[in-house]
Structure formats: C-alpha cells, structure tokens
Amino acid sequence: RSAYLNPDIDDAVRGGLLRPEEIPLEVRRVLGETLPARLDTWIADVVDYTEKTGRIGQSPEVAAATEGLREFLFARVYVGSVAKKEEAKVGLMIQALYEYLLAHPTEIPPHYRDETNLARGVGDYIAGMTDRFAVAEFNRLFVPSCWPVEWGEGQ
C-alpha cells in the first residue's frame, strides 16, 4: 500500500486536490508529515516488526495509520474528486499507450520485451509508469510537436 499512497499524495497536492495539512493529524503523527518521513517510517517499521516477530509485516500502530491514510485518500482523491472526472481520459491514454507499445516493442526497455509474452511485458512496463511519465510518453508519441511558422509577405 505504501508504494502507491505517497505518490498519490504528491500528485493530489500538485493537482490542488488537497493540502498536506488536511491529512488526518493521527496519520501524520504516526507516519510523518512529509513523503520522506512516511517512507522512513514504513521501512523502519517493517524492518523492526520483522526482526521482532520473524514475520514480514507492520506494527499494529503503523498498519492502522496506513489504513487511515488509504481511507482518507479514497474519500478525498480517488472517489468523487476532480481527478475522478479524468478517469475516462486516463483509460483511453493507457489503451493507446498499450496498443502502440505492443506494436512497437523497441520503444520499451529490453527487459520488458519477453517474446513469449510481450503483452505482459508491455503491461508491466505501463504499470510501472508514474502518472507524469505516462502523460509525457503519451504526449511524445501522440501529440504533434509545435514548430515555428514563418509567414511570408502577403500571408
């Protein structure tokens, strides 16, 4: 869960959907106020919990705060927000990227080009993209670049 929660917070803040101080106080108290602090908390907690119990997991306090953060993001970002209105566009963008990359596998890194299952490799490649990278790739592949237009006399 923590792998997607932090980037989603960052995206939501940059997109104006929320301010960091709107994250519930108890969540911030346990996990930290910033992206690096939350990452440090999650990593240290997994290491500590695993050393103490012999099982990979999170302490109950960090697990509860992480679940609280997830619930908060569902309520504020994932459902009923401005971002939700863009969902159909995102689906079309992902579909276009998938179809293009499947037809042009040299556009993806070599370790994703498994000839026995190229569709899976393309899907894995797209799944690993950040939102910003996916939009940048879509723009690179499908949106014409602007070029200077010089007007001659009489035009």
Side-chain angles (χ1 to χ4, degrees):
R1 288 185 182 160
S2 55
Y4 70 86
L5 294 177
N6 253 348
D8 289 351
I9 292 169
D10 189 42
D11 289 343
V13 168
R14 277 187 290 101
L17 298 175
L18 69 93
R19 296 184 320 275
E21 61 272 14
E22 294 176 303
I23 296 171
L25 182 59
E26 181 62 14
V27 169
R28 289 184 284 138
R29 184 191 66 74
V30 173
L31 299 180
E33 295 282 342
T34 65
L35 184 140
R38 286 186 296 272
L39 286 175
D40 286 347
T41 298
W42 281 317
I43 292 167
D45 186 66
V46 167
V47 170
D48 186 54
Y49 182 84
T50 302
E51 287 176 349
K52 288 180 181 174
T53 66
R55 294 184 323 268
I56 297 174
Q58 292 179 310
S59 66
E61 181 182 36
V62 170
T66 302
E67 180 61 22
L69 180 57
R70 189 184 77 76
E71 289 173 2
F72 170 77
L73 289 174
F74 262 95
R76 287 292 305 275
V77 177
Y78 304 144
V79 179
S81 71
V82 174
K84 187 70 175 169
K85 295 175 186 170
E86 298 295 305
E87 192 172 296
K89 292 179 194 176
V90 171
L92 292 172
M93 179 184 72
I94 297 299
Q95 181 179 353
L97 285 170
Y98 179 80
E99 290 171 2
Y100 179 87
L101 294 171
L102 196 58
H104 301 89
T106 58
E107 293 277 345
I108 65 175
H111 61 277
Y112 288 103
R113 293 185 218 149
D114 179 358
E115 292 177 19
T116 61
N117 196 350
L118 182 59
R120 172 67 187 257
V122 170
D124 287 348
Y125 177 62
I126 292 171
M129 292 180 173
T130 62
D131 295 349
R132 266 190 272 182
F133 182 70
V135 170
E137 281 296 276
F138 181 86
N139 286 335
R140 181 181 71 82
L141 295 169
F142 298 106
V143 177
S145 298
C146 294
W147 59 89
V149 176
E150 296 183 26
W151 296 96
E153 284 188 39
Q155 293 180 334

